[in-house]
Amino acid sequence: MAKATRAAFGETLLELIAEGQDIVAVEADLAGSTTTGKVAEHHPERFFNAGIAEANMVGAAAGLALAGQVAFTGSFAVFGTGRVYDQIRNTVCYNKLDVKIAPTHSGVTVGADGGSHQMLEDIALMRVLPNMRVLVPADYTAAKAAVRYAAMTPGPFYVRLGRAEVPHVYGPEGITGVQDVDVTKAHVVRPGKDVTIAACGIEVAQALEAAKLLAAEGIDAEIIDVMCVKPLDVETLLGSVSKTGRLVTAEEHSVLGGMGSAISEVLSEVLPTPTRRIGVVDQFGTSGTPDELIEHFNLDAKSIVDAAKELLA
Amino acid sequence: MSHTRKFTPPANFDPQFVTCQATQMRIDIVKMLTHAGSGHPGGSLSAADIVATLYFGGVMNYDPQSELQGDGAPWRDRFILSKGHAAPVQYAALALAGYIDSAEFESLRNLGAMLQGHPDASKCPGVEVSTGSLGQGLSIAVGLAQGLILKGQMGRDGQTPPQIYVLLGDGELQEGQNWEAALYAAHYRLDNVVAIVDRNMLQIDGNTEDVMTLGDVAAKFEAFGWETASIDGHDIPAIHEALTRKRTSGKPYAIIADTVKGKGVSFMEDVAGWHGVAPCAEKCAAACAELEQLLKDSKDVMDISAAVMEGGGAHG
C-alpha cells in the first residue's frame, strides 16, 4: 500500500476545520495538485487563491494569521519556499506568525517536470530561519500528523510534502508496525546495533529496504526517521550513534544544508562520528520517472547499503 | 512607562490640532534621528501630515489603553507602515498617541531597543506588524482585512469591518508584490483596505522617474480595479477629506498623496541625499529652529481660533 504525502494535506485541513479550528488555505493556482482544493470545495470561505503570485500568497497568509487565523500556504516547494524566501523570512518568521508553509512536490520524485520543478534546497533554506520549525514526513500517516501538529502549535512551520506515492511506514498498513507518530521526535523505526541510518521523507522507506538487504549480509542497521529536522531530536540521535559509532544520512534533498548537514553540525561538536551523506550531490534534477530518478541520483536502497558497508569496511 | 501620555484619540477633526501634531512629530523625527546618528529623515518627514491625520484627525479608531492593557481592542483600525524605513514618523505618532514614552526616542536604533531601525512589532507597542523589507505591507493588509472579516470582527461602529490603512512609499511600488496584492484586493473586493502612497518622487538613487518610471500611479491602481483619490499630501484638510470620503464602490481604495521628501525642513526638501542620512547636531538645530517657529505659528493660529470661538459663543 502506498499513498502520497500530499494526499494528507487537504484532508487534514478539512478535519481541523470540522473540529472548529480557524484554518485557512492560501494557494497559488495549484489547488488540485496540492490538495488545498478540498478546502475550496467544502469551505470556500476559508480558501483564498492568490493566482500565480506566490509572494502575495505568503504575504496574505501573514495578514490572515495576524487576524487570528492559522494560515497554510500551498504551491510547489520550489515556488513556495525559494521564490518567496524573503517573504517567509521578513514577514512570516520575523513576526513569528501562524503561517504554515506546506507546499507539495518537493524533491526529485516530482518526476517528468524536470529540474526546474524539483526542489532540492528547501530544507536548507527553511531550517536556517529563526522561529521556523521543519517537518519532513515519511508517509501519509506521518504527513497527517505533521499537518495537524503544525496547525495546533503556534508559530511558523515548514511541512515538506511530496507528489509521489510512498509506502506506508506507520499505521495499520505500515512497514514498521509503529502506530503513533510523535512528529517532534526522531523515531527508531528499526532497532539495530552496527550502523545508524538516519533518513527523512521518502528515504525512510528506502532505508528500511536497505536494512533488509544489510541484514541478509549479517549487518544490523538501526533506522531512524528524522521527521523533525528542526528542532532536531538530538537525544535519540546521540543515543543511536553512541551505540553504533557509524552514521548514514539519507534525504531526497541536496547533500548541502539539509537533514544530513543538520545532524553533522551537532555531531561534529559533541560526538564526531564517521558519516556518509546520501542526497543529491550539488546539482539540479532532471526529467524521469520517480523510480528512475531515485536510482539516477543514488537515493535508492542499494546506495544506502553501499554507504553503510563503506563505513563498516 | 511613567511618562507615557494619557491621550484620548480625538473623535473630531481639528486641522489646526493635526497641524501642530504633525509639526511636533517632525521635530521629534529630526531629534531622534540626530541622536541615533543614522536613519531616514526624508521619507519620515514627507509622511508626517498623512500619519498625523490618521492618528490625530479622528480618522483611525484606536485606544492604547485597551490595546496594551485591556482586551486588545480587536475593533481597532490597523495601520501598517509598509515603508518601514520611515519608522521615526510612526514612533513620533505612537508617542503622541500614548503608546510609548517619548523618552524612548533616545534609544532609537540602539542594541535591543524598543525603537528598532525598522518597526519591530515584538518590541514596540502600537506596531501591528514588523516591516522593513519593502513591498510586503499591502499583501499583509489584504490578508488582515480578509482574516478580520472571516472572524466576524467589526470595527468600533459595530457595523463595518475595521479599516486597514497601509502607507506605501512610491519607490516601493517598483516591487512587483504590490501589484500582486493590488490584483488580489480588487478580486476579493476588499473595500476596507486603504492604501496611501507617499508620492514624494524620490528614492535612494534619485528621482523615481529616472530610476524606474512609475508614471501615473493613480491610473495604475484604477487599471487594477481600485478606487483612487489624488491629493496634496501636505494639505491636512484634503488628506482628511480623502480618508473619510463616503465610498460606495466596493473597491479597495488608494490615495495618491503628492508629497515633498524632507517636508518642513528647508534644506532637506526635495533632496534625495536626505533619504538615509541623519542630521548632524548643527543641522538638527537649524531644522528644529524652523520647525519650532512653525509650531509656534500654528499654535498661535489655534489660540486665535479658540478665542474667536469662545468670543462668538459669549456674544451669540
Side-chain angles (χ1 to χ4, degrees):
Chain A
M1 283 293 291
K3 206 166 182 179
T5 52
R6 67 170 160 161
F9 186 22
E11 272 181 32
T12 309
L13 294 185
L14 286 187
E15 288 172 15
L16 289 160
I17 292 168
E19 292 164 20
Q21 303 296 328
D22 280 329
I23 302 285
V24 295
V26 193
E27 184 51 84
D29 199 39
L30 290 165
S33 299
T34 65
T35 75
T36 58
K38 287 190 184 296
V39 180
E41 187 186 338
H42 296 282
H43 300 279
E45 77 286 359
R46 297 199 160 272
F47 174 81
F48 303 96
N49 204 329
I52 308 168
E54 295 79 11
N56 187 54
M57 170 183 74
V58 174
L64 283 153
L66 272 179
Q69 310 289 340
V70 175
F72 280 80
T73 60
S75 191
F76 291 169
V78 68
F79 314 123
T81 64
R83 190 186 185 101
V84 289
Y85 184 74
D86 184 58
Q87 285 75 14
I88 296 173
R89 180 191 189 276
N90 273 312
T91 294
V92 174
C93 289
Y94 194 53
N95 285 290
K96 207 173 181 178
L97 296 175
D98 276 342
V99 175
K100 321 297 176 176
I101 308 294
T104 63
H105 293 57
S106 60
V108 294
T109 50
V110 168
D113 278 349
S116 63
H117 281 55
Q118 294 168 356
M119 187 50 164
L120 296 167
E121 307 89 44
D122 49 332
I123 296 174
L125 288 172
M126 295 296 105
R127 82 178 179 88
V128 295
L129 290 170
N131 295 334
M132 181 63 97
R133 278 178 270 192
V134 178
L135 303 177
V136 186
D139 74 347
Y140 168 78
T141 303
K144 290 202 76 159
V147 171
R148 175 170 288 275
Y149 182 77
M152 305 301 281
T153 309
F157 271 82
Y158 177 51
V159 182
R160 189 183 208 231
L161 301 170
R163 173 181 186 270
E165 294 200 335
V166 284
H168 289 294
V169 174
Y170 300 102
E173 299 161 22
I175 307 166
T176 60
V178 177
Q179 300 299 317
D180 294 324
V181 181
D182 177 351
V183 300
T184 66
K185 301 285 184 217
H187 286 246
V188 178
V189 291
R190 183 193 187 279
K193 59 179 180 5
D194 296 331
V195 57
T196 299
I197 303 175
C200 63
I202 66 158
E203 288 298 286
V204 174
Q206 296 292 338
L208 287 164
E209 181 63 26
K212 271 198 246 171
L213 300 172
L214 287 165
E217 299 187 44
I219 298 166
D220 188 16
E222 177 148 298
I223 311 298
I224 302 182
D225 177 359
V226 187
M227 76 178 75
C228 188
V229 173
K230 185 187 177 186
L232 272 180
D233 176 1
V234 174
E235 197 185 335
T236 299
L237 291 162
L238 277 179
S240 181
V241 296
S242 62
K243 176 176 65 181
T244 63
R246 299 170 187 90
L247 173 68
V248 177
T249 65
E251 60 198 310
E252 188 197 12
H253 184 273
S254 171
V255 289
L256 305 178
M259 176 270 289
S261 295
I263 295 174
S264 298
E265 286 162 12
V266 175
L267 294 186
S268 67
E269 288 191 348
V270 298
L271 185 65
T273 303
T275 300
R276 292 290 180 275
R277 287 173 298 139
I278 298 285
V280 175
V281 185
D282 197 17
Q283 58 190 311
F284 291 110
T286 174
S287 290
T289 67
D291 287 343
E292 284 172 344
L293 289 159
I294 286 171
E295 195 184 336
H296 175 79
F297 287 107
N298 299 317
L299 303 172
D300 55 344
K302 185 182 169 301
S303 299
I304 298 172
V305 166
D306 291 347
K309 284 162 73 175
E310 208 179 297
L311 283 171
L312 285 155
Chain B
M1 301 294 279
S2 57
H3 296 96
T4 306
R5 294 161 55 101
K6 289 279 181 289
F7 177 80
T8 307
N12 298 312
F13 174 54
D14 174 351
Q16 287 306 321
F17 174 67
V18 176
T19 301
C20 290
Q21 296 288 81
T23 307
Q24 182 60 53
M25 284 163 58
R26 288 190 164 98
I27 293 168
D28 292 340
I29 289 164
V30 170
K31 284 185 176 169
M32 74 174 96
L33 284 168
T34 303
H35 195 274
S38 69
H40 301 83
S44 300
L45 294 169
S46 66
D49 297 311
I50 297 162
V51 175
T53 309
L54 279 167
Y55 277 90
F56 309 115
V59 176
M60 272 211 315
N61 292 304
Y62 61 96
D63 176 9
Q65 296 296 325
S66 51
E67 284 176 47
L68 304 180
Q69 284 139 25
D71 65 352
W75 48 263
R76 71 190 185 280
D77 294 329
R78 270 69 166 177
F79 175 71
I80 298 170
L81 184 68
S82 189
K83 47 174 286 184
H85 56 278
V89 73
Q90 189 175 12
Y91 297 153
L94 291 175
L96 287 174
Y99 285 94
I100 63 173
D101 186 339
S102 58
E104 292 289 341
F105 292 160
E106 295 199 358
S107 74
L108 175 67
R109 292 176 162 256
N110 286 356
L111 181 70
M114 174 190 285
L115 306 188
Q116 291 286 294
H118 294 78
D120 184 335
S122 73
K123 294 190 170 65
C124 186
V127 172
E128 297 283 353
V129 62
S130 307
T131 53
S133 178
L134 292 174
Q136 303 193 29
L138 192 55
S139 290
I140 298 168
V142 299
L144 183 52
Q146 287 179 310
L148 291 172
I149 291 168
L150 193 54
K151 279 268 180 193
Q153 180 62 55
M154 288 297 158
R156 179 176 259 173
D157 65 4
Q159 310 282 317
T160 52
Q163 298 288 303
I164 316 295
Y165 298 98
V166 53
L167 182 63
L168 306 167
D170 56 353
E172 178 182 17
L173 292 177
Q174 291 157 0
E175 293 280 7
Q177 186 179 346
N178 285 299
W179 303 103
E180 296 181 2
L183 285 174
Y184 187 98
H187 179 83
Y188 286 104
R189 300 186 70 80
L190 302 175
D191 64 356
N192 59 330
V193 171
V194 180
I196 306 144
V197 179
D198 180 5
R199 184 75 169 114
N200 60 35
M201 302 293 291
L202 290 176
Q203 57 191 114
I204 296 180
D205 279 351
N207 187 292
T208 56
E209 306 312 283
D210 294 331
V211 176
M212 183 49 61
T213 307
L214 289 165
D216 187 340
V217 173
K220 286 184 168 65
F221 272 98
E222 280 165 24
F224 276 70
W226 288 54
E227 183 175 347
T228 68
S230 296
I231 58 165
D232 174 348
H234 301 303
D235 178 343
I236 284 170
I239 299 168
H240 181 266
E241 189 283 321
L243 284 168
T244 54
R245 189 178 292 179
K246 184 114 184 103
R247 291 181 293 119
T248 54
S249 66
K251 296 175 177 180
Y253 183 37
I255 299 170
I256 317 306
D258 288 326
T259 59
V260 174
K261 202 155 185 170
K263 175 71 177 179
V265 178
S266 58
F267 56 87
M268 291 186 183
E269 289 190 359
D270 262 335
V271 180
W274 283 103
H275 172 91
V277 181
C280 62
E282 195 182 324
K283 291 285 185 195
C284 176
C288 287
E290 288 182 21
L291 290 164
E292 297 281 4
Q293 184 59 47
L294 202 62
L295 186 61
K296 185 175 175 302
D297 295 347
S298 304
K299 282 187 171 161
D300 287 348
V301 173
M302 199 155 68
D303 291 344
I304 292 163
S305 335
V308 169
M309 290 283 284
E310 277 173 28
H315 296 288

